[in-house]
Amino acid sequence: MRFSVLSSGSKANCTFVEAAGVRFLVDCGLSGKQAEARMAEVGVDPRTLSAILVTHEHADHIHGVATLSRRYGIPVYANVGTMERITKPRGREIFKTGSDFCVGKVDVTPFSIVHDAKDPVGFSIRAEGFKLVLVTDLGRVTTLVQEHTRGANAILLESNHDQEMLQSCSYSWDLKQRISSTHGHLCNEAAAQLLHEIMHPELFHIVLGHLSENSNTPGLALQATNRHLERCGDRATGLQTLLCGNVYESLPCLEIDGVSSRKAVVNL
Ligand SMILES: [Zn+2]
Ligand SMILES: [Zn+2]
């Protein structure tokens, strides 16, 4: 199983996943052209994609979904609330939030998250004995999120803002309220706390995602996470990668194979 965060941030989100011989995207907030370019960076031909899974209908997650779907004949997987906002995709595969579905031999659970969208979800993706969890755009960590992230071998987790930087940035009071509300976006501290809770020796890759460019920096997000991971002791021994996603370039493909855990390279 492997994945590459092609774009992550308030402007555009898109992740490539390959497992059990199936390739798909989760979200595509990039334009069709940009998504093709990012896929080329990691050596992926869009004609080999079998699906585009969508978390929720915000533009930074769906902007290029229908274009790619039509251009390459790729079916779109979403719940009813999200699907309503995707205009004329080539194929529609409706899933129910909370109910497992399959893409080839890959098992997927879309789980509910709190965010100001119709029916937003995170995805738990399982294949080849490994579990990858993608969860961004959540106002707070619920029990359900804790349950689904536990046991992950790799995770893309939102680390949207630094609370102090958010309060002092130039955003309007309304926007600050929206972001920091329970239906907004997850702050560095909350993300780091969740990672501390779920850390185990077989959590190999952590990608912090959906970083705000106005109320966060990769340095602050990594600092918060590192502070909490340092207290994990032996539970963090398997960690190979700690990276921040960004909207400018794709991250390298991270292999979830459990093999190279001793050659730990943690990007700080
Ligand atoms: Zn959103
Ligand atoms: Zn978003």
Side-chain angles (χ1 to χ4, degrees), residues 27 51-57 62 65 75-86 89 91-97 101 110 119 121 123:
D27 290 335
I52 305 173
L53 279 52
V54 186
T55 58
H56 66 297
E57 74 278 16
I62 67 163
V65 169
V76 174
Y77 289 63
N79 56 34
V80 175
T82 302
M83 192 68 90
E84 277 170 2
R85 301 292 295 274
I86 297 170
R92 294 174 200 264
E93 296 287 338
I94 304 277
F95 61 71
K96 248 178 92 181
T97 302
F101 64 91
D119 189 2
V121 299
F123 288 116

Side-chain angles (χ1 to χ4, degrees), residues 177-190:
Q177 284 299 111
R178 199 218 122 203
I179 292 168
S180 59
S181 80
T182 55
H183 284 63
H185 290 277
L186 208 62
C187 69
N188 293 342
E189 191 58 24

Side-chain angles (χ1 to χ4, degrees), residues 2 16 32 46 51-52 56 61 64 111 200 232:
R2 62 186 192 129
F16 165 74
I52 305 173
H56 66 297
H61 297 261
F111 56 94
H200 66 107
C232 288

